[in-house]
């Protein structure tokens, strides 16, 4: 396997495999915190992984980009069926603008 692509590609592939096997799966958009002792692909930018409904354990996160289970370093922002449900750049923000 060449392992070429971005985190969204790996998440979509894993979701497709899960769903083909009859396992409910969903797309997760968020961030992964990189630590000096362990560098992670996708750190410093938005990241994506998937969650699958595991019998007896509920929804569990899987990060196929880094080949790890989603843990404390994975900061979940939104979940959906796929990227189009939860792109990190859609939405609005409210705040005060200060001048001068």
């Amino acid at each position: 396997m060449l392992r070429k692509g971005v985190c969204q590609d790996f998440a979509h592939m894993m979701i497709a495999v899960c769903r083909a096997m009859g396992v409910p799966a969903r797309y997760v958009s968020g961030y992964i915190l990189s630590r000096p002792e362990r560098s992670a692909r996708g750190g410093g930018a938005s990241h994506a992984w998937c969650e699958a409904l595991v019998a007896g354990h509920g929804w569990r996160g899987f990060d196929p980009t880094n080949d790890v289970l989603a843990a404390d370093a994975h900061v979940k922002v939104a979940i959906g069926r796929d990227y189009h449900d939860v792109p990190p750049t859609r939405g609005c923000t409210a705040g005060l603008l200060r001048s001068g």
Side-chain angles (χ1 to χ4, degrees):
M1 182 172 181
L2 297 176
R3 295 205 45 95
K4 293 193 182 243
V6 295
C7 56
Q8 291 90 349
D9 299 328
F10 294 123
H12 280 124
M13 287 297 296
M14 187 163 181
I15 290 168
V17 169
C18 287
R19 290 176 180 168
M21 295 172 51
V23 176
R26 59 191 183 189
Y27 183 92
V28 183
S29 178
Y31 297 89
I32 186 168
L33 303 174
S34 289
R35 297 186 176 112
E37 68 274 8
R38 184 175 164 264
S39 178
R41 289 183 71 194
S46 64
H47 189 56
W49 60 96
C50 70
E51 289 182 339
L53 188 57
V54 179
H57 296 282
W59 289 99
R60 300 301 299 251
F62 299 91
D63 182 349
T65 305
N66 294 296
D67 196 24
V68 297
L69 294 174
D72 291 342
H74 291 76
V75 180
K76 187 187 315 185
V77 174
I79 56 172
R81 295 167 297 181
D82 57 32
Y83 175 83
H84 298 291
D85 283 348
V86 293
T89 56
R90 187 172 22 161
C92 62
T93 181
L96 298 174
L97 296 176
R98 295 182 189 209
S99 61

